[in-house]
């Protein structure tokens, strides 16, 4: 069935996409968060013209078509916008089939083990250790991640000595709990290796983005030097770079972000590349928008899913824009697990109250750009 309408609903942080097909079927998706107002413009300008009138069922083919059409604009914003279309079409497919998205991609409804993921660097070592101890105790998490270094820190810590203090503090506070850390590209190779040795000494199992994320050679050097699992990939937006990352074993754990990369279809491709090389996939899912919900479905389906789902423990004080996004709460935690429901599509949809406050644009009012007019005929002729 052909797509006949695409609508965006956005504020600065979130952009939901509603897709409608000629048979009346609908689906809801979301673009990547932050600067979502800009992403909404990219969506209506550079995604909508190539998607309208196309088959809504072959999602991977439509994504590839749009990437070819917009080949002069690779990278972040195109893929952030493309994710809104992709996720809306997966929801539509699930609603048509009466199945959760997980079931469409080879999995099923059911539980997903999660780790408690801290986003904070403004807490002292003892404050963070006590917070994680409390949250893991209350919600039954059996794994937790905390932050070391400083984001893009060039070997500067958030404040002097914090990394050296927080590693043993959290280790003492969480006996029997698997511990993960995220350096957010904070270190040079020598410093990353030195910190990695400390992590190994404290039994920490996962070392994320130790060096600048785009430098695969540096990441590989750290991975080669350490026994701890080195993880990366959350910022990457090109499948070809993931292919190199996997081929060269630059990481031990592959971490695509479904909404940064351009949607579920492309993430499934990356997961298959990783599976062929025996590498697990533990996606980046750092907020309680659709990225975490889609990741839950993915991890119920792929054979090389990592040990746990990233689950942000930050609330309204850190992510005020998360409140009231959905008609249901898809993120209930019980005994450290979340659950993919046996409901069609994503199993929920944007809340009408949130949509009523959002800025809205429809493809009905969209005008073809000069670029689209110039290239549409040649693209249609080739395809």
């Amino acid at each position: 069935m052909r797509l006949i309408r695409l609508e965006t609903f956005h504020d600065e942080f979130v952009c939901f996409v509603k897709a409608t097909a000629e048979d009346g079927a609908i689906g809801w998706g979301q673009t990547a968060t932050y600067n979502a107002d800009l992403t909404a413009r990219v969506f209506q300008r550079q995604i909508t013209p190539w998607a309208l009138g196309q088959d809504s069922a072959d999602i991977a083919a439509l994504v590839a078509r749009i990437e070819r059409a917009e080949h002069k604009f690779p990278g972040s914003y195109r893929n952030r916008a493309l994710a809104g279309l992709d996720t809306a079409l997966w929801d539509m497919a699930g609603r048509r089939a009466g199945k959760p998205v997980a079931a469409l991609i080879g999995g099923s409804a059911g539980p997903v083990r999660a780790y408690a993921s801290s986003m904070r660097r403004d807490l002292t070592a003892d404050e963070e250790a006590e917070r994680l101890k409390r949250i893991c105790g209350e919600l039954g998490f059996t794994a937790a991640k905390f932050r070391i270094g400083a984001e893009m820190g060039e070997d500067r810590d958030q404040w002097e000595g914090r990394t050296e203090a927080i590693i043993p503090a959290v280790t003492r506070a969480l006996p029997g709990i698997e511990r993960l850390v995220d350096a957010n590209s904070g270190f040079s190779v020598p410093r990353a290796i030195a910190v990695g040795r400390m992590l190994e000494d404290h039994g920490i199992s996962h070392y994320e983005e130790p060096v600048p994320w785009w430098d695969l050679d540096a990441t590989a050097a750290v991975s080669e030097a350490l026994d701890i699992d080195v993880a990366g990939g959350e910022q990457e937006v090109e499948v070809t770079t993931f292919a190199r990352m996997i081929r060269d074993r630059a990481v031990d754990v592959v971490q695509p972000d479904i909404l940064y990369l351009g949607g579920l279809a492309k993430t499934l491709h990356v997961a298959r590349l990783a599976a062929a090389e025996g590498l697990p996939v533990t996606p980046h899912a750092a907020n309680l928008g659709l990225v975490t919900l889609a990741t839950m479905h993915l991890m119920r389906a792929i054979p090389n899913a990592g040990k746990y789902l990233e689950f942000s423990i930050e609330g309204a004080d850190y992510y005020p824009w998360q409140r009231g996004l959905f008609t249901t709460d898809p993120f209930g935690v019980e005994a450290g697990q979340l659950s993919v429901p046996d409901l069609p599509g994503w199993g929920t949809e944007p809340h009408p109250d949130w949509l009523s406050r959002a800025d809205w644009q429809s493809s009905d009012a969209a005008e073809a750009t000069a670029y689209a007019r110039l290239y549409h005929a040649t693209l249609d002729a080739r395809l």
Side-chain angles (χ1 to χ4, degrees):
M1 291 290 176
R2 294 181 304 111
L3 285 171
I4 62 169
R5 195 181 199 202
L6 291 167
E7 300 166 78
T8 50
F9 302 78
H10 76 267
D11 60 16
E12 180 185 344
F13 300 96
V14 174
C15 174
F16 286 117
V17 172
K18 182 180 181 182
T20 303
E22 59 187 336
D23 62 347
I26 68 160
W28 285 98
Q30 186 190 321
T31 71
T33 49
Y34 297 107
N35 288 333
D37 49 341
L38 302 182
T39 309
R41 291 190 65 187
V42 172
F43 183 92
Q44 292 293 358
R45 175 71 66 88
Q46 295 186 269
I47 306 300
T48 288
W50 311 112
L52 289 176
Q54 300 302 310
D55 180 11
S56 61
D58 194 341
I59 301 169
L62 182 51
V63 167
R65 178 182 197 271
I66 294 169
E67 288 191 310
R68 289 194 297 274
E70 293 293 328
H71 65 277
K72 292 183 181 295
F73 298 91
S76 176
Y77 272 102
R78 186 198 67 186
N79 286 353
R80 284 168 170 262
L82 192 54
L85 175 67
D86 169 284
T87 51
L89 295 183
W90 283 107
D91 187 52
M92 180 185 290
R95 289 169 184 250
R96 278 203 180 107
K99 297 178 180 180
V101 172
L104 300 182
I105 57 176
S108 64
V112 181
R113 181 191 178 201
Y115 69 81
S117 186
S118 168
M119 306 295 154
R120 305 278 293 271
R121 282 189 171 86
D122 59 338
L123 301 175
T124 68
D126 288 341
E127 288 170 340
E128 182 70 293
E130 286 304 309
R131 182 173 81 126
L132 289 171
K133 179 180 178 179
R134 173 180 56 80
I135 291 172
C136 288
E138 290 172 352
L139 298 177
F141 289 111
T142 56
K145 186 172 80 178
F146 59 99
R147 306 280 163 153
I148 60 173
E151 191 163 2
M152 303 303 304
E154 297 182 314
D155 286 341
R156 295 187 301 273
D157 212 334
Q158 192 70 15
W159 59 79
E160 188 175 355
R162 183 178 183 274
T163 292
E164 285 76 8
I166 198 169
I167 293 169
V170 172
T171 297
R172 289 191 300 268
L174 300 180
I177 302 291
E178 289 187 53
R179 280 151 286 121
L180 308 80
V181 300
D182 193 343
N184 291 113
S185 300
F187 302 133
S188 66
V189 170
R191 173 67 172 154
I193 292 172
V195 170
R197 301 286 188 215
M198 190 186 316
L199 297 173
E200 290 174 341
D201 290 344
H202 286 82
I204 291 169
S205 60
H206 171 113
Y207 189 11
E208 192 167 324
E209 271 192 1
V211 293
W213 63 267
W214 60 86
D215 191 339
L216 294 186
D217 292 336
T219 303
V222 177
S223 181
E224 178 66 24
L226 299 174
D227 293 327
I228 190 174
D229 281 347
V230 171
E234 70 178 67
Q235 314 292 352
E236 188 50 59
V237 296
E238 297 298 340
V239 170
T240 52
T241 305
F242 273 109
R244 179 186 160 208
M245 180 191 303
I246 292 163
R247 180 198 68 208
D248 294 349
R249 311 289 284 201
V251 298
D252 303 296
V253 179
V254 184
Q255 294 192 286
D257 181 301
I258 291 174
L259 299 190
Y260 291 172
L261 183 57
L264 183 60
K266 292 177 69 177
T267 306
L268 285 168
H269 181 55
V270 168
R272 288 190 290 270
L273 293 175
E277 295 298 327
L279 293 178
V281 172
T282 301
H284 176 251
N287 62 74
L288 302 187
L290 187 65
V291 64
T292 294
L293 184 55
T295 302
M296 291 162 59
H297 285 254
L298 175 75
M299 296 190 74
R300 286 290 306 174
I302 59 174
N304 57 328
K307 294 184 288 184
Y308 22 51
L309 165 82
E310 180 172 20
F311 184 77
S312 170
I313 58 173
E314 308 306 342
D317 59 331
Y318 192 89
Y319 285 141
W321 54 263
Q322 288 183 158
R323 290 182 294 185
L325 289 181
F326 300 107
T327 54
T328 61
D329 178 11
F331 304 123
V333 179
E334 186 173 344
Q337 295 183 325
L338 285 84
S339 185
V340 173
D342 192 18
L343 296 171
W346 299 124
T348 191
E349 60 184 39
H351 199 289
D353 290 346
W354 190 95
L355 295 174
S356 70
R357 297 190 298 270
D359 291 324
W360 170 79
Q361 187 173 357
S362 171
S363 58
D364 296 342
E367 295 183 7
T369 66
Y371 177 80
R373 286 193 297 269
L374 179 63
Y375 284 99
H376 230 304
T378 59
L379 180 72
D380 289 340
R382 287 188 283 111
L383 300 180

